Amino acid sequence: MSEKEDLAKQKAEAAAKAKAAALAKKQAKEEEAAEKPEGEIDIAKQKAAAAAKAKAAALAKKQAKEEEAAEKPEGEMDIAKQKAAAAAKAKAAALAKKQAKEEAGEKPEGEMDIAKQKAAAAAKAKAAALARKQAKEEAGEKPEGEIDAAKQKAAAAAKAKAAALAKKQAKEEEAVEKPEGEMDIAKQKAAAAAKAKAASLAKKQSKEEAGEKPEGEIDAAKQKAAAAAKAKAAALARKQAKEEAGEKPEGEIDAVKQKAAAAAKAKAAAAAKAKAAAAAKNRTAVQESEEADTPSEISPNQSKLDQIVSAIESHVGQGALLENYINRLSKDVPTLVANPDTYFSIAKFLRYDEQLDFSYLSELHGTDFESHMEIYVHLHSFKMNQSVALKVKLDRDTPVIPSLVPLWSGANWPECEAYDLLGINFYEHPDLKRILLGEDWKGYPLRKDYEPYDVEV
């Protein structure tokens, strides 16, 4: 047999073995899938993944311990720990990515999103736990007092470094040969830069201290910082004023003071003049209002009011009216204030007297004045071509008055409205009822002391 035939046999045998191995693997997978339901297969995969994670974690721990056991100085030990932690993180992340890809290949899109979210949450939790562990280890190496002292030392060193840097920069700028004007500008810029740097450093330090102190101490620290900033600003202003004063001769300083005093005097004089003008204007307005309230001219309706009052006193009685006047604020309307006992009698006389004949009722409404209730009736006589107002004051606790519906049918709904919104009772009204609110409504909305029964309404 030739070498070619031997080589062909070997290849055929190797191919047969590979095929048999692949067939055996396939058959084993099919048997496992046939013997286990879907839930058990997922559990098996999860167990395998958990075992792989545990193995990786154990390997990382072992590697970290071996590196710690090696003899290294303290600084190199910290670097080694950090490298080991970083390597462990990278390895865990790579393993998680690999597992996520494998699971993604076997799951639909919805399950893939859930798996990604779970993997992300697990990675976050692992990173947070590792950070907490590292912080605890670092804190465990130093007592609390030493940690605070170390922070304070670091802050003091940072301040000293910033101050030294500012001084060095200022000296270098001063050493450069510049004219006097440019030197001043350079100094101002250096001072401004130093202030800005010191302010930012102070802010940073206050934030760090605020993170370590309770709320009360933070407020006290803020107040101290504010007071220090104010004192510093005041000192700087005084220094600047002195420098400016030093640059001017004595005569110019006196002139500046005199100008400032003159400006202050002028301002005070202007304010006094404005105040005097306002007072004079107010006095004029008061005089005008008093003159308006007490006009010298007699109203053109005064004669008609006298005629109406005389007729009422002759037919109803001398005490029938409590008051009568010309209402200047309402087109000089003659106004009659009736006694509650004579209210209906006066209204009846105004309605049916042949000379007066107030046949038209144009308005009727009620008002709550807190001390009493009041009914206002506006009547018009076409024969006299004149209007008149009839008023009557009622007891607020028991506001009861006769109805005018028997005299003017137009009083029907206005009296129902006054009853509905103010609670005024008009006896002998043909159908007194609530026309805007329901019969079960609590209270009267137009009363000054009204409180809603249901606050949500």
Side-chain angles (χ1 to χ4, degrees), residues 139-372:
E141 293 174 3
K142 293 180 181 181
E144 188 175 354
E146 291 184 10
I147 293 168
D148 293 338
K151 287 183 179 178
Q152 291 173 1
K153 285 180 181 179
K159 281 185 180 177
K161 192 171 183 180
L165 185 62
K167 285 181 181 177
K168 184 179 178 183
Q169 188 176 359
K171 286 180 180 178
E172 288 176 354
E173 289 177 355
E174 287 177 2
V176 178
E177 293 181 1
K178 292 181 181 179
E180 188 174 353
E182 293 183 11
M183 286 288 287
D184 293 336
I185 294 166
K187 284 181 181 179
Q188 291 173 3
K189 286 183 180 179
K195 280 183 186 177
K197 195 162 186 180
S200 63
L201 187 64
K203 283 182 184 176
K204 185 177 179 182
Q205 187 179 0
S206 63
K207 285 182 181 178
E208 291 175 355
E209 290 175 355
E212 299 171 359
K213 292 181 179 180
E215 189 174 354
E217 292 183 12
I218 292 169
D219 293 338
K222 284 182 180 177
Q223 291 173 1
K224 286 181 181 178
K230 283 183 182 177
K232 193 169 183 180
L236 185 63
R238 285 196 296 271
K239 184 179 178 183
Q240 188 175 359
K242 286 180 181 179
E243 289 175 354
E244 290 177 357
E247 293 172 2
K248 293 179 181 179
E250 188 174 353
E252 291 184 12
I253 294 168
D254 293 338
V256 171
K257 286 182 180 178
Q258 289 172 3
K259 284 182 182 178
K265 283 183 182 178
K267 193 172 182 180
K273 283 182 183 178
K275 192 173 182 182
K281 191 175 181 181
N282 289 335
R283 283 196 297 272
T284 304
V286 169
Q287 289 174 359
E288 288 176 356
S289 64
E290 288 176 354
E291 291 173 0
D293 291 339
T294 57
S296 58
E297 296 180 1
I298 297 173
S299 171
N301 293 331
Q302 185 65 48
S303 59
K304 293 183 179 179
L305 174 62
D306 295 339
Q307 179 187 350
I308 295 167
V309 170
S310 177
I312 291 172
E313 289 178 348
S314 299
H315 291 82
V316 181
Q318 289 291 330
L321 291 173
L322 297 177
E323 189 181 356
N324 64 86
Y325 57 91
I326 297 293
N327 190 345
R328 297 282 184 175
L329 300 177
S330 182
K331 299 180 180 179
D332 286 8
V333 174
T335 303
L336 309 171
V337 181
N339 191 312
D341 297 332
T342 59
Y343 166 72
F344 185 79
S345 300
I346 293 171
K348 186 175 180 180
F349 176 75
L350 294 173
R351 172 70 180 86
Y352 293 113
D353 183 76
E354 292 182 356
Q355 293 181 354
L356 301 179
D357 191 23
F358 286 93
S359 59
Y360 178 60
L361 184 147
S362 62
E363 183 181 356
L364 186 152
H365 67 262
T367 307
D368 180 13
F369 287 94
E370 294 186 302
S371 59
H372 64 278

Side-chain angles (χ1 to χ4, degrees), residues 15-34:
K17 283 182 182 180
K19 192 172 183 179
L23 186 63
K25 283 183 183 179
K26 184 178 179 183
Q27 187 176 0
K29 285 183 181 179
E30 290 175 355
E31 288 175 359
E32 285 179 2

